[in-house]
Amino acid sequence: MSRVPAHWLIKRLRSVWRRWSLWGMLVALVVAMLVTLVWLAGRYEASVVQDQLERDAADAVADIRSALARNVLSLQALQSGSSDAVLWESQAQALLRERREIVRIEWRTPTMRLQAFANSPFHAIAWTSDARAEPHSETTLACTNARRLSGPAYSSSYFQPHGDGMGSELIELCLPPSATDRRGSYLVATYSLQGLLTEMVGKGLTRRQEVSFTEADGTRLALVGAARRSAYLFSARQLLDLPGTTMLLRMDGWHAAPSLFPNVLTALVTAMSIALVTVLVVLVRDNRRRLQAERDLGDAFAFRKAMEDSLVTGLRARDLQGRITYVNPAFCEMVGFSAQELLGQSTNAPYWPPELAEEYWRRQAVRLAGNAPPREGFESVFMRKDGTRFPVLIIEAPLINAVGQHTGWMSAFIDISEQRRVEELSRASQERLQATARLAMVGEMASLLSHELNQPLAAISSYATGSLNLLEQARDADDTHLRADLDEVRTAIGRVAQQAERAGRVIKSVHDFVRRRDQAREAVPAQELLGDVLPLVNLQARKLGVRVEVEVEPDLPPAHCDRVMIEQVLLNLARNAMQAMDDPSIRQRTLQIRVRRAAFNAHSAWLEFTLIDGGVGIDEDTARRLFTPFFTTRAEGMGLGLSLCRTVVEQHGGFLGHRAHHPRGTVFTFTLPAAPQEGPD
Ligand code: ADP
């Protein structure tokens, strides 16, 4: 099991941790910044609202103060006006109608006795006539203050019930007798706090917020303004300092629920920050994708490199100027030069045999001129670093880059020396077989000649012998001349007989030489016989478009035969069969070769070889003369093949025959003895 080294693991963990912690910090920083920003913006927004409220409260107080001051002037005018009570009352009534915040005006004597009074028609306070006969304690207090201050003085607020269960908060204003007032009477005006707020505070201020007078403990005395609208309350307090009393004005503003992004700027900055973070995330994703793509590219490159390195085909790329731009290891190995020695070469490549360099230059020039090479490739000869030449098959194709531009040429090289060697071997063996075939033919011919010539020679010999006998009988004649002539004739004829005998012996020796192959018999398995012949058969079969089917019965004993001669027989029969199918009308071209066990008994076993073709067949006339030497129907035929086959088969003790095959074609069959099996003793 492979173990990952611990230090590597720790290093990797550290780098991962560092990367993630950096990212974490960055994100935390951005989030903290955003939160702070939003919070600060919220605070700012609140302070703006609060400031506005404070300003409004101050405005309200100023409004009230100036209105009160105005009222004081009006009241002073009333005070110093008519001394007639009825007239006074009507003037007071007019003032009350004008100033709705005043609920009652009283004219009191220096002893505080009620001289005259007027009630506001706008306030539903049930003043009992005797209740105000004596001044209210607050009135007294105010007037005491007024006298002390020699100016208008206000009392503290007090609650005046209306009689209907409701009531109002009121304050008293007391104007002391002026210096010019001979009567020395007081003018007391009663203000409703509610009226003060309603009448004196600007409408604009009460529309959006609530204005109230409160006590120090927060109890509301009077209140005007908008109803409460939301939960976020802002509050401002202002003191209303009046001579004799101080009141607290409170202004409450409700601000709508503060939005998360209180203003456009914050929203903008937040949006930009979010956009920034998004861009950051996208960038990181993009970076990661790029890294992944780089890794994939690296993998693909490594795969391509591994593929190129493990190829047995040599690869070479050249640019349009003919410079070598790439070679793979297989090419380097093929030619024996290193990649450094080859790259950038544009002159004579070091693997060009010098004697062929000129031709190769021409070829390269043609290629660089833009002519496409043949698709099936072409053969050439290269030279290894050690000077040995070897044949290569070159397949070239234009190199087109990613944008479809032709940038050079890519070539694949296949070292075909081994293929050439095999072809050479098979050619040699074919030649050998053909030579054997020719030899066998010659032998057959010689054998036939000897057979044919033997008889005439024997006749010559016997005629010579007869003639000699006749001459012997003539020896007894008396004529010496004739005797001498006869002797000469006898000698001559004796020589004829001798020569004829010699010729007979020569022919017999040739015959014997041909037959001598009897001794070359051995046990050969049928598979081996077919195995030797099939390459040659297949060669012709491919040429003629014939399919060859071989069927050998299993566990056959080997044949006892002369291997070379039987191979000749098989070759001849197969060749005849395929030639018989070489007819344009024949589409189904199958040659079946079958070997099986034939007659079989305790003493001998036979093998039967059958060759079935679907050829033109053999008509009767041909059949009669089939085995006759020199009979052929082909222009290039010799007519010896079948007769040789029969001789060979019969020499082995076998039988060669033929019959028609249905629906068409011929079946040739021959038998061979099986090699004697060595049974258990
Ligand atoms: P060659 O092959 O030289 O013609 P052969 O003795 O082998 O001589 O054959 C003699 C003739 O027998 C051939 O020309 C051919 O007409 C005929 N013949 C042989 N085999 C077949 C076959 N399988 N089918 C048809 N005809 C055949």
Side-chain angles (χ1 to χ4, degrees):
M1 200 179 84
S2 70
R3 280 170 58 102
V4 180
H7 65 88
W8 181 87
L9 207 70
I10 290 169
K11 226 164 93 184
R12 175 123 187 81
L13 275 175
R14 247 190 228 150
S15 89
V16 167
W17 163 245
R18 203 166 40 234
R19 202 167 63 230
W20 279 110
S21 59
L22 274 176
W23 276 115
M25 265 159 65
L26 185 73
V27 169
L29 217 74
V30 170
V31 169
M33 194 190 83
L34 277 179
V35 169
T36 313
L37 187 81
V38 170
W39 180 72
L40 281 177
R43 281 269 311 263
Y44 172 73
E45 190 86 338
S47 78
V48 166
V49 173
Q50 183 68 38
D51 282 356
Q52 182 63 43
L53 203 68
E54 298 280 355
R55 263 199 311 278
D56 286 353
D59 286 351
V61 167
D63 284 354
I64 295 172
R65 196 172 278 140
S66 64
L68 283 176
R70 263 198 321 275
N71 284 1
V72 166
L73 288 179
S74 304
L75 290 168
Q76 275 172 342
L78 182 70
Q79 186 183 21
S80 57
S82 170
S83 53
D84 174 38
V86 179
L87 188 64
W88 183 92
E89 269 175 23
S90 73
Q91 282 174 349
Q93 277 296 343
L95 188 64
L96 280 171
R97 267 197 295 278
E98 242 174 78
R99 306 287 156 83
R100 296 184 175 201
E101 63 274 15
I102 305 174
V103 295
R104 181 182 166 94
I105 304 175
E106 293 173 352
W107 176 9
R108 288 187 184 269
T109 61
T111 54
M112 294 305 280
R113 204 172 47 77
L114 185 67
Q115 186 88 28
F117 70 91
N119 283 328
S120 166
F122 304 113
H123 293 275
I125 300 172
W127 303 102
T128 47
S129 53
D130 55 333
R132 296 290 294 206
E134 284 308 308
H136 192 275
S137 60
E138 292 294 339
T139 316
T140 317
L141 217 65
C143 285
T144 313
N145 271 340
R147 209 173 30 244
R148 192 162 43 82
L149 293 171
S150 309
Y154 294 87
S155 75
S156 308
S157 72
Y158 61 92
F159 184 74
Q160 175 68 47
H162 289 181
D164 56 356
M166 307 287 279
S168 299
E169 239 355 271
L170 305 175
I171 58 166
E172 303 285 332
L173 163 66
C174 183
L175 295 184
S178 62
T180 54
D181 187 4
R182 282 163 289 111
R183 291 170 295 183
S185 53
Y186 289 90
L187 190 106
V188 177
T190 308
Y191 278 105
S192 144
L193 286 189
Q194 186 73 33
L196 280 184
L197 293 178
T198 316
E199 300 301 323
M200 292 179 176
V201 178
K203 289 281 172 283
L205 295 180
T206 52
R207 195 166 299 135
R208 278 176 289 110
Q209 44 233 342
E210 196 178 84
V211 188
S212 58
F213 284 115
T214 62
E215 284 188 354
D217 63 359
T219 315
R220 275 168 214 259
L221 303 174
L223 177 136
V224 291
R228 166 193 170 122
R229 260 172 283 169
S230 73
Y232 295 89
L233 171 72
F234 290 87
S235 195
R237 285 190 177 89
Q238 282 283 333
L239 284 176
L240 175 61
D241 242 342
L242 296 173
T245 187
T246 300
M247 282 188 295
L248 196 59
L249 181 108
R250 176 174 160 172
M251 192 167 266
D252 289 330
W254 280 277
H255 197 260
S259 46
L260 191 58
F261 303 107
N263 58 36
V264 178
L265 189 71
T266 325
L268 211 70
V269 172
T270 309
M272 274 164 71
S273 306
I274 290 172
L276 193 83
V277 171
T278 314
V279 167
L280 217 74
V281 169
V282 168
L283 265 178
V284 167
R285 277 232 196 105
D286 181 61
N287 194 35
R288 195 172 298 161
R289 251 203 303 265
R290 220 178 20 241
L291 276 177
Q292 183 62 40
E294 254 170 43
R295 256 201 303 278
D296 289 352
L297 206 69
D299 286 352
F301 186 75
F303 174 68
R304 208 194 76 182
K305 177 121 186 58
M307 214 166 63
E308 284 170 5
D309 291 354
S310 58
L311 265 183
V312 288
T313 311
L315 294 178
R316 179 199 64 190
R318 283 189 300 185
D319 61 16
L320 288 174
Q321 284 72 46
R323 272 190 301 266
I324 298 178
T325 52
Y326 168 79
V327 282
N328 75 339
F331 184 77
C332 294
E333 201 179 316
M334 205 181 276
V335 294
F337 290 97
S338 69
Q340 283 76 24
E341 288 171 293
L342 296 173
L343 289 180
Q345 289 276 0
S346 64
T347 51
N348 281 6
Y351 47 81
W352 284 1
E355 67 276 12
L356 295 170
E358 207 174 311
E359 183 194 329
Y360 289 6
W361 259 117
R362 272 201 302 277
R363 195 168 67 198
Q364 182 160 324
V366 168
R367 188 77 61 254
L368 296 182
N371 295 330
R375 279 192 73 81
E376 67 279 5
F378 54 92
E379 285 188 26
S380 187
V381 175
F382 277 1
M383 183 177 74
R384 294 195 185 91
K385 200 173 188 179
D386 61 9
T388 50
R389 316 292 202 255
F390 65 101
V392 281
L393 176 70
I394 307 178
I395 299 162
E396 280 200 314
L399 201 61
I400 309 291
N401 70 4
V403 291
Q405 210 177 358
H406 181 192
T407 56
W409 297 91
M410 187 78 208
S411 318
F413 300 86
I414 299 165
D415 184 346
I416 49 174
S417 14
E418 182 59 20
Q419 198 178 327
R420 283 279 168 282
R421 200 179 64 79
V422 171
E423 276 174 15
E424 188 58 37
L425 269 179
S426 103
R427 200 174 54 77
S429 87
Q430 195 175 352
E431 268 175 10
R432 218 175 31 252
L433 263 164
Q434 275 164 357
T436 322
R438 270 198 300 279
L439 209 68
M441 290 302 184
V442 170
E444 181 66 10
M445 218 143 59
S447 150
L448 279 165
L449 278 175
S450 67
H451 182 72
E452 296 300 325
L453 291 179
N454 240 346
Q455 283 168 3
L457 279 175
I460 292 172
S461 172
S462 55
Y463 281 127
T465 314
S467 305
L468 282 178
N469 289 342
L470 287 174
L471 285 175
E472 201 63 50
Q473 287 161 15
R475 197 195 254 172
D476 307 334
D478 306 333
D479 189 345
T480 49
H481 272 285
L482 184 64
R483 221 180 292 150
D485 286 349
L486 280 175
D487 277 345
E488 273 177 28
V489 171
R490 190 165 50 235
T491 314
I493 291 179
R495 295 234 168 100
V496 167
Q498 264 174 14
Q499 289 305 316
E501 244 170 74
R502 193 163 156 253
R505 274 204 308 281
V506 168
I507 281 164
K508 187 168 184 303
S509 76
V510 169
H511 192 249
D512 285 350
F513 171 75
V514 174
R515 304 286 153 191
R516 227 190 8 240
R517 290 200 65 93
D518 286 7
Q519 277 86 51
R521 297 209 181 149
E522 55 186 324
V524 192
Q527 280 289 14
E528 271 185 33
L529 287 170
L530 292 173
D532 287 346
V533 174
L534 277 177
L536 290 172
V537 172
N538 283 335
L539 223 83
Q540 196 174 7
R542 260 203 299 280
K543 215 183 295 167
L544 299 178
V546 173
R547 196 154 56 88
V548 182
E549 287 175 6
V550 179
E551 202 183 309
V552 180
E553 199 178 284
D555 306 325
L556 279 183
H560 183 61
C561 65
D562 178 338
R563 179 196 280 259
V564 177
M565 294 314 287
I566 294 301
E567 282 171 5
Q568 279 306 315
V569 171
L570 281 169
L571 203 60
N572 260 329
L573 294 178
R575 221 175 247 162
N576 278 348
M578 286 190 286
Q579 278 160 356
M581 287 188 278
D582 186 18
D583 187 293
S585 68
I586 296 170
R587 304 225 166 271
Q588 191 76 25
R589 299 182 175 187
T590 314
L591 165 65
Q592 299 175 47
I593 304 176
R594 291 188 193 147
V595 187
R596 62 183 188 93
R597 224 178 272 260
F600 184 71
N601 61 38
H603 308 293
S604 60
W606 291 86
L607 299 183
E608 185 185 77
F609 289 74
T610 311
L611 289 97
I612 307 168
D613 68 67
V616 290
I618 299 174
D619 58 37
E620 243 175 68
D621 186 35
T622 309
R624 244 184 292 115
R625 298 190 290 154
L626 204 57
F627 295 101
T628 313
F630 304 110
F631 166 76
T632 178
T633 57
R634 281 194 302 271
E636 74 282 13
M638 259 180 80
L640 278 174
L642 282 178
S643 89
L644 168 70
C645 290
R646 189 159 70 174
T647 314
V648 170
V649 171
E650 284 177 358
Q651 271 170 17
H652 282 79
F655 160 80
L656 170 69
H658 70 93
R659 62 174 195 277
H661 176 63
H662 291 290
R664 63 189 304 165
T666 317
V667 183
F668 271 90
T669 308
F670 68 90
T671 52
L672 284 182
Q677 296 290 82
E678 282 178 23
D681 294 323

